[in-house]
Amino acid sequence: MSGSFSPCVVFTQMWLTLLVVTPVNGQHDFLMLQAPPAVFEGDSVVLRCYAKKGIEAETLTFYKDGKALTLHHQSSELYIHHANLKDNGQYKCTSKKKWSFGSLYTSNTVGVQVQELFPRPVLTARPSHPIDGSPVTLTCRTQLSAQKSDARLQFCFFRNLQLLGSGCSRSSEFHIPAIWTEESKRYQCKAETVNSQVRKQSTAFIIPVQRASARFQTHIIPASKLVFEGQLLLLNCSVKGVPGPLKFSWYKKDMLNKETKILKSSKAEFKISQVNISDAGEYHCEANNSRRSFVSRAFPITIKVPVSQPVLTLSTGKTQALEGDLMILHCQSQRGSPCILYEFFYENVSLGNSSILSGGGAYFNFSMSTERSGNYYCTADNGLGAQCSEAIRISIFDMTKNRSVPMAAGITVGLLIMAVGVFLFYCWFSRKAGGKPTSDDSRNPSDSEPQEPTYYNVPACIELQPVYSNEPEENVIYTEVRRTQPRQKHADQESESPRSRCQMAEKK
């Protein structure tokens, strides 16, 4: 019977074969995993694992890249909240059928590729190399995906990780009114969705701030740095390369290097309506933009003062001199800017000139002679018009003529004294003798008819000259006193006066 066939054994062998092979060959028919066709950053993603009847949810397991995922509770759905690039991978699900004695069913594999909603932003500055104190505009650049162009973004800006402004805004630009050298630090920006599901930050960016270099331009009215006393002086200072608003200050340094602050305002103009000698010095302006001060170079202002009327004096103080005397003329103006040119004149003829750089005046000397008698004057000129002194007349002293006057006067006085003495002696002698003095009627005038003295036009000072009698009988000496009339002056008028000459010099 050993070769006989047993139907019971054959059935048992066939059931065992189906129990092992069937699950392997038809596992995808029991489980299927579904995923959305496109996933972007920030999206909420749901992976669903569908199973046929007989498969319990408690036995489902999800895998990513071959690793089982731990879920908070068993479910046929896998939720990915706010998807990002880290969620990229290959997903599947597995399950065991109840009462299947360990049979394992596996779903199809689904690839999940999360796309960028927008790339990492890039921070730029405009201008890229700002000047110290100038404004800067920061821009946070990025681009939304074309499929998500309706998404809304907001931007935040940081300096050394400190938030700038009042917070994030929809604008991708941030304006800094003034940036300074000490603020050349790390700047960053952040772009994020309005619901903050996706946020990305730029790399740190250092803005190279250049220190400002002021370029001053000064304008002077009048254009020359030489200003005449009484003129208008207008100084104007303009600055380039320095951001505003600016405030200006003016400084003046005098001859003693003493610096004085003379004006502070928002204007760059400094005005003196009428300058005087005290306004001379070196001027410079300072521009300040509340953070930095910029100083211009100094420029000198020279005030030119016209000369005053010079005074001509003689060293001896006398306007009469003897033949051969040394005469020294001194001409000086009390006011006037150097250099002053002094010129001496004799009867409108120039004798010479001298240029003086400082005070003290000029001198001119000459030997006195008869030909040198006449009018002398001087002029002073420093380029602003000649000024003329008052004229001085110097004359020669005539020793022969002038010495006769005192001699004649002395002789006359001596003779008078002698005559009076003789007359008194004669009267005394006559009384003592009892007689009267004899008189000659022909020589003595009558008492009733007094005679006036005779005057002569003698061209000299008042002279007293004795008159002598040659008759021997006469004991009395008579003296006749004559008074001369003053000689009339006949000075010819000069063809050109010193004053008119100076006026002509001024016109020139």
Side-chain angles (χ1 to χ4, degrees):
M1 297 290 299
S2 59
S4 62
F5 176 74
S6 176
C8 192
V9 174
V10 174
F11 176 78
T12 302
Q13 290 179 348
M14 291 177 63
W15 182 82
L16 289 175
T17 303
L18 291 173
L19 181 65
V20 175
V21 176
T22 302
V24 176
N25 296 333
Q27 58 182 345
H28 297 307
D29 297 334
F30 291 93
L31 293 176
M32 184 176 64
L33 183 64
Q34 290 182 340
V39 179
F40 287 90
E41 292 175 306
D43 288 350
S44 293
V45 180
V46 179
L47 300 179
R48 292 183 175 89
C49 187
Y50 291 96
K52 289 186 177 182
K53 292 181 179 181
I55 297 177
E56 301 294 339
E58 290 80 3
T59 63
L60 289 176
T61 303
F62 289 89
Y63 290 83
K64 177 188 176 185
D65 296 332
K67 294 181 179 180
L69 299 177
T70 302
L71 303 179
H72 296 291
H73 57 277
Q74 291 295 326
S75 174
S76 61
E77 294 179 345
L78 176 64
Y79 290 92
I80 301 176
H81 300 284
H82 312 310
N84 56 50
L85 300 181
K86 294 180 181 178
D87 296 321
N88 291 340
Q90 301 295 320
Y91 290 83
K92 68 180 180 178
C93 61
T94 64
S95 177
K96 291 180 181 180
K97 190 175 181 181
K98 192 176 183 180
W99 311 111
S100 62
F101 301 101
S103 297
L104 183 65
Y105 296 92
T106 304
S107 71
N108 57 311
T109 300
V110 176
V112 175
Q113 183 67 35
V114 180
Q115 303 179 47
E116 280 190 327
L117 182 63
F118 56 87
R120 186 176 187 179
V122 176
L123 180 65
T124 59
R126 188 176 68 251
S128 59
H129 294 76
I131 299 175
D132 194 28
S134 64
V136 171
T137 300
L138 302 178
T139 304
C140 194
R141 299 184 182 279
T142 189
Q143 183 66 43
L144 281 168
S145 172
Q147 295 175 300
K148 291 287 187 177
S149 59
D150 58 341
R152 293 188 300 171
L153 298 178
Q154 61 183 10
F155 301 88
C156 313
F157 296 84
F158 303 86
R159 179 169 58 208
N160 281 2
L161 303 181
Q162 298 294 322
L163 182 64
L164 295 175
S166 58
C168 300
S169 68
R170 296 292 304 279
S171 176
S172 61
E173 293 186 346
F174 183 80
H175 183 71
I176 301 176
I179 192 168
W180 304 96
T181 306
E182 57 269 22
E183 295 176 351
S184 296
K185 299 177 181 179
R186 299 166 65 89
Y187 289 82
Q188 287 176 289
C189 74
K190 180 178 68 174
E192 64 180 18
T193 56
V194 175
N195 56 11
S196 301
Q197 293 178 359
V198 182
R199 59 183 65 182
K200 296 182 180 181
Q201 195 160 339
S202 69
T203 57
F205 173 64
I206 297 178
I207 301 177
V209 182
Q210 299 179 352
R211 183 169 290 275
S213 178
R215 299 187 300 276
F216 286 89
Q217 290 183 349
T218 53
H219 303 280
I220 306 174
I221 297 176
S224 172
K225 296 178 182 179
L226 179 63
V227 184
F228 299 146
E229 188 179 43
Q231 276 189 323
L232 166 70
L233 176 61
L234 184 62
L235 305 177
N236 191 287
C237 182
S238 60
V239 184
K240 293 183 178 180
V242 177
L246 296 175
K247 288 187 176 181
F248 292 87
S249 299
W250 284 94
Y251 294 85
K252 189 192 83 168
K253 184 183 292 185
D254 57 19
M255 301 303 293
L256 300 177
N257 277 343
K258 182 180 178 182
E259 190 171 86
T260 307
K261 189 173 184 178
I262 55 178
L263 185 66
K264 182 178 181 180
S265 68
S266 58
K267 295 184 179 180
E269 185 179 274
F270 174 61
K271 178 180 179 181
I272 303 177
S273 299
Q274 291 184 336
V275 297
N276 55 51
I277 192 64
S278 63
D279 295 320
E282 290 187 347
Y283 290 80
H284 72 267
C285 69
E286 178 186 79
N288 189 293
N289 60 0
S290 75
R291 199 73 174 260
R292 296 277 187 275
S293 292
F294 305 91
V295 180
S296 71
R297 64 178 181 84
F299 48 92
I301 295 296
T302 303
I303 308 300
K304 194 79 170 179
V305 180
V307 294
S308 60
Q309 183 181 18
V311 177
L312 181 66
T313 57
L314 287 169
S315 59
T316 60
K318 297 179 181 180
T319 58
Q320 286 188 336
L322 298 177
E323 183 84 17
D325 282 353
L326 178 64
M327 304 298 292
I328 301 177
L329 300 176
H330 178 239
C331 185
Q332 182 179 4
S333 291
Q334 297 299 323
R335 295 182 74 250
S337 300
C339 161
I340 300 177
L341 179 66
Y342 290 98
E343 190 169 5
F344 295 86
F345 292 88
Y346 165 68
E347 298 293 349
N348 296 331
V349 177
S350 177
L351 300 175
N353 55 56
S354 178
S355 182
I356 304 299
L357 296 177
S358 59
Y363 293 88
F364 180 79
N365 58 75
F366 61 95
S367 180
M368 192 62 192
S369 63
T370 305
E371 294 79 8
R372 291 279 189 174
S373 296
N375 292 321
Y376 290 81
Y377 67 93
C378 68
T379 61
D381 189 6
N382 64 349
L384 304 180
Q387 294 291 327
C388 183
S389 71
E390 296 291 338
I392 296 178
R393 185 171 184 81
I394 304 176
S395 60
I396 197 73
F397 193 80
D398 191 351
M399 294 295 296
T400 304
K401 180 177 180 181
N402 288 279
R403 287 179 181 177
S404 63
V405 175
M407 290 179 62
I411 295 173
T412 302
V413 173
L415 291 176
L416 285 173
I417 294 174
M418 289 178 62
V420 171
V422 172
F423 178 75
L424 293 175
F425 176 78
Y426 176 76
C427 291
W428 175 80
F429 180 79
S430 298
R431 287 181 181 179
K432 191 172 183 180
K436 295 182 179 179
T438 60
S439 60
D440 190 353
D441 296 336
S442 62
R443 301 183 59 89
N444 292 320
S446 174
D447 294 337
S448 60
E449 297 178 359
Q451 300 293 324
E452 292 292 332
T454 305
Y455 298 94
Y456 301 92
N457 293 330
V458 181
C461 299
I462 298 176
E463 299 180 357
L464 299 178
Q465 298 181 355
V467 178
Y468 302 97
S469 175
N470 294 324
E471 294 182 6
E473 295 83 8
E474 299 284 344
N475 293 325
V476 180
I477 300 175
Y478 294 91
T479 302
E480 182 178 10
V481 180
R482 300 175 181 175
R483 187 177 67 180
T484 62
Q485 295 288 343
R487 183 173 54 186
Q488 185 178 1
K489 295 182 180 180
H490 298 283
D492 296 334
Q493 297 293 331
E494 297 181 357
S495 60
E496 184 182 2
S497 66
R499 180 66 59 189
S500 63
R501 185 179 183 87
C502 287
Q503 292 174 351
M504 293 176 62
E506 291 179 3
K507 293 180 180 180
K508 292 181 180 180

